[in-house]
Amino acid sequence: MMRKRLLAAAAVSSLALTACGGGGGGDTGVKGATSAAPTSAAAEAKGDGTLTIGTLLPQTGSLAFLGPPEFAGVDAAVKEINDAGGVLGKPVAKIDTDSGDTTTNIASQSVDKLLAQKADAIIGAASSSVSESVIDKITGAGVVQFSPANTSDKFTTIKDNGLYFRTAPPDKLQGRVLGDLIVADGNDTIGILAMQDSYGSGLADQVTKTAQDAGASVVQRVDYDPKAADFSADVAKIKAANPKAVVLIGFEETAKVVAELVKQGLTADKVKWYMVDGNMSNSNYLKMPKGTLAGVKGTIPGAAAPTDFRKKLLAVNPKLTSYTYAAESYDATILIALAAEAAKDDSGRSIAAKLPEVSEGGEKCKTFKSCDELLKTGKDIDYDGVSGPVEFNAAGDPSVATIGVYQYGENNEYDATKALEYRTGKIAG
């Protein structure tokens, strides 16, 4: 696998953040004040001795294409954990459920099922809006919610009882990389088509700010209803503004938006298109004429999956065509297991209290087995994951992040093994 690190781009130097919560008022400190689990965790009810991990990941809905790699990441991790002797001397139990999307009540029903079956930690959801709809139910029950894919900036300050974590970085980072990339490619006028929800609007805001700070102009922005049957009027507004680049921020409905762009003459060979993790799919555009997406670039949080890790995933699911958020799902599972081992307890609050501790500051280790062996000898550990260092800041966000940039070929697929990678500086909570 050929992997290049971009060293001289303006994007790299602009990524270090001094704060995630905004100015001195508002919600600043709300998340930080609660993200470390309560100091009375030891006094909380203990777990039942079996670590039970539930998954709340998309089997249906607008992000269903992200489900297979995420499930594969969890499954690969659980296999390794159990092959190494499990957690607290017992095999990890796993319960899979569907998160659906915000057009259904599937996620809430799935959470009810997982809580009834005494899940200690729930991995998911993939959609930020879905996670936002169930976070109170999960964390209110004393259960850890750990998303491998939520990128909405809202979660940095959301009230979570100290029980919400994520391995995916906030959208402000992806938005900065994408905005800088667009300008570096020579585009000084930009149109944005973004789905209207916390993910789409937040990411569009950051792309706009970054591009404008770099001297470009967002000449038209359209926040659209992703459930709309027709996007002709939305695309017509972009066309009228005559931008050099068009940013597409959405989920599976992006295929309809792309078809309308082509219909109105805004093809990718005339106007540069840019995509994001929510629509960077290797299945959504295969029925389109070859070359429709040729040259289109997009960003996905996380490093490209290493060869050895891809082999692990393919052993679990040979049909995988992309690896988006697989590493983040794998790392979330390993970290939950290590936190339970460090706490010598499988309850949600005990796990949450130990997650920051096992992710930084101790002796470096890269597998569950090697980390667990260190824990059993009384050592403090620092798990470095497949997705990156995974050190949590006070908000439960990763304090260091990598954003990959991928490019589509003539077959309307992008090579998931090749990316330019932008590594951020240390991010405070």
Side-chain angles (χ1 to χ4, degrees):
M1 177 181 67
M2 179 179 179
R3 298 172 65 188
K4 294 174 62 181
R5 188 168 301 282
L6 196 60
L7 297 176
V12 175
S13 62
S14 71
L15 283 172
L17 299 184
T18 57
C20 291
D27 288 332
T28 301
V30 174
K31 175 73 180 277
T34 60
S35 63
T39 54
S40 60
E44 298 284 342
K46 292 287 186 179
D48 60 9
T50 297
L51 175 61
T52 300
I53 295 177
T55 62
L56 182 68
L57 298 170
Q59 297 171 344
T60 61
S62 56
L63 283 181
F65 74 94
L66 289 180
E70 290 172 341
F71 280 112
V74 174
D75 290 346
V78 169
K79 182 179 186 305
E80 289 184 27
I81 294 165
N82 287 341
D83 285 349
V87 172
L88 305 175
K90 295 181 181 180
V92 172
K94 181 175 68 72
I95 307 166
D96 290 334
T97 68
D98 181 18
S99 63
D101 59 27
T102 54
T103 66
T104 68
N105 195 40
I106 290 174
S108 181
Q109 295 171 8
S110 292
V111 169
D112 289 341
K113 173 184 175 182
L114 293 172
L115 295 180
Q117 296 187 54
K118 298 183 178 179
D120 302 301
I122 294 175
I123 296 176
S127 161
S128 293
S129 293
V130 171
S131 282
E132 198 174 347
S133 73
V134 295
I135 188 170
D136 288 345
K137 183 178 287 191
I138 295 172
T139 61
V143 172
V144 167
Q145 181 176 1
F146 200 139
S147 175
N150 287 167
T151 57
S152 171
D153 293 330
K154 284 188 176 182
F155 292 102
T156 298
T157 55
I158 202 167
K159 182 179 179 181
D160 64 357
N161 299 312
L163 294 168
Y164 176 90
F165 294 81
R166 55 178 164 180
T167 37
D171 275 329
K172 63 178 62 181
L173 304 181
Q174 182 178 192
R176 287 186 177 191
V177 170
L178 185 57
D180 278 326
L181 173 68
I182 293 166
V183 176
D185 283 349
N187 304 294
D188 56 7
T189 56
I190 302 166
I192 298 178
L193 282 159
M195 65 185 295
Q196 194 168 31
D197 75 346
S198 60
Y199 167 77
S201 299
L203 193 44
D205 287 345
Q206 187 59 60
V207 171
T208 298
K209 182 180 185 304
T210 301
Q212 290 177 341
D213 287 348
S217 297
V218 174
V219 294
Q220 181 62 267
R221 170 174 163 177
V222 179
D223 287 30
Y224 63 81
D225 178 359
K227 298 187 289 295
D230 178 78
F231 298 97
S232 58
D234 300 319
V235 171
K237 292 178 184 177
I238 298 294
K239 183 177 180 178
N242 194 32
K244 291 181 181 177
V246 176
V247 183
L248 306 175
I249 303 173
F251 293 159
E252 68 175 3
E253 82 287 344
T254 301
K256 295 180 181 178
V257 177
V258 164
E260 189 61 40
L261 286 168
V262 172
K263 183 178 179 181
Q264 296 195 28
L266 300 179
T267 53
D269 60 341
K270 295 179 181 177
V271 180
K272 292 180 181 177
W273 300 351
Y274 295 86
M275 294 186 176
V276 292
D277 58 311
N279 51 26
M280 285 290 288
S281 169
N282 272 341
S283 58
N284 206 22
Y285 314 108
L286 295 181
K287 294 181 180 180
M288 294 181 174
K290 286 189 178 299
T292 299
L293 270 70
V296 174
K297 295 178 182 178
T299 49
I300 300 176
T307 301
D308 289 347
F309 182 61
R310 294 200 307 271
K311 289 179 179 178
K312 289 181 184 179
L313 297 173
L314 290 170
V316 172
N317 182 356
K319 295 181 180 179
L320 285 181
T321 59
S322 71
Y323 307 97
T324 305
Y325 294 123
E328 287 79 3
S329 302
Y330 173 91
D331 287 340
T333 309
I334 296 292
L335 282 162
I336 288 167
L338 290 173
E341 280 283 282
K344 296 181 173 57
D345 180 45
D346 60 285
S347 70
R349 294 195 181 278
S350 294
I351 291 168
K354 291 293 184 179
L355 276 170
E357 184 178 308
V358 299
S359 72
E360 64 177 336
E363 188 169 339
K364 296 282 188 181
C365 51
K366 294 186 176 182
T367 67
F368 173 80
K369 184 176 181 180
S370 62
C371 292
D372 190 37
E373 288 172 350
L374 290 172
L375 286 174
K376 283 180 166 57
T377 63
K379 297 283 183 66
D380 181 21
I381 65 168
D382 179 358
Y383 172 72
D384 277 359
V386 180
S387 64
V390 201
E391 296 181 1
F392 295 112
N393 61 22
D397 295 339
S399 64
V400 178
T402 298
I403 308 293
V405 176
Y406 299 82
Q407 184 166 321
Y408 279 89
E410 287 289 330
N411 60 353
N412 298 329
E413 293 180 287
Y414 68 91
D415 188 340
T417 70
K418 295 180 180 179
L420 293 176
E421 292 178 2
Y422 297 69
R423 174 63 62 84
T424 72
K426 197 84 169 182
I427 307 160

